[in-house]
Amino acid sequence: MTTLNGHRYLEIYLNDHRAFAAGGVELARRLCRNLQDTDWAEDGIWLTNQIEEDVETLDHVRTAFRVDGGPLSAVKGMLAVAGERLGRLKLNGHLVTESPLSPVVETEAMIALVQGKRRLWSALRATVAGRPEATGFDFAHLEKRADEQLELLSRIHAGVATHAFLVG
């Protein structure tokens, strides 16, 4: 593991966020599928594209800071994806089919992940934005994107919760 000029914890931090991002992409795709036949179908596609773009940006940040994931990072990524898949096994009132509760819980999980990503961009803006490796990254813009994603997720959450609790 390289130390980024002594900043070993920055490397660990970026790798941990990348591991969570792997699970986040899987969750966004599943949420998008669950929103296909709803009023939020287009929003689900937009959100998934945004999440995938943000993961690419995080990969570019890691490359700029010469962060090598290494075997431990790969294991963390696999665990994050496995955790997302295990999350599908929730008791939601349906054994084989999707439950109207699934998008509610998935949206809540996405909100938590996007809040974490927003904190990542905020931490990087506050700590490394002036470093040469950070040239070309607009962390304030990335924070704003996360805020937009959170606003959309809040609207989706209200809609899917209403559907699950009052209609479904």
Side-chain angles (χ1 to χ4, degrees):
M1 178 182 288
T2 59
T3 61
L4 299 172
N5 298 324
H7 297 286
R8 177 173 175 258
Y9 296 115
L10 176 60
E11 183 170 3
I12 292 168
Y13 183 70
L14 292 174
N15 283 334
D16 286 352
H17 269 278
R18 182 58 178 91
F20 283 115
V25 167
E26 292 297 318
L27 181 58
R29 289 175 181 159
R30 189 171 81 239
L31 178 61
C32 185
R33 284 191 303 274
N34 286 337
L35 296 175
Q36 266 180 340
D37 297 324
T38 71
D39 293 340
W40 306 283
E42 286 184 31
D43 292 330
I45 293 168
W46 178 86
L47 179 66
T48 301
N49 290 335
Q50 290 267 306
I51 300 297
E52 290 171 345
E53 289 172 14
D54 289 344
V55 172
E56 287 179 25
T57 300
L58 178 55
D59 286 341
H60 292 304
V61 169
R62 291 172 68 241
T63 298
F65 281 92
R66 295 182 303 281
V67 171
D68 175 24
L72 182 58
S73 184
V75 169
K76 288 178 182 180
M78 288 186 288
L79 289 173
V81 170
E84 180 278 329
R85 291 192 178 139
L86 283 172
R88 298 177 191 183
L89 300 175
K90 57 194 164 293
L91 300 175
N92 57 16
H94 289 237
L95 210 48
V96 188
T97 60
E98 285 291 325
S99 166
L101 187 57
S102 294
V104 177
V105 176
E106 290 166 357
T107 304
E108 290 170 356
M110 281 303 307
I111 288 169
L113 287 168
V114 173
Q115 286 173 332
K117 176 179 62 179
R118 190 204 185 284
R119 299 310 311 158
L120 160 73
W121 301 137
S122 176
L124 293 176
R125 180 179 51 80
T127 60
V128 301
R131 291 180 56 168
E133 300 95 327
T135 301
F137 297 108
D138 186 348
F139 297 119
H141 172 73
L142 292 165
E143 286 178 83
K144 185 177 183 218
R145 274 175 59 109
D147 288 338
E148 292 167 358
Q149 294 164 13
L150 288 168
E151 288 174 22
L152 174 61
L153 283 163
S154 292
R155 289 194 306 273
I156 291 172
H157 185 263
V160 296
T162 297
H163 177 76
F165 304 150
L166 301 178
V167 178

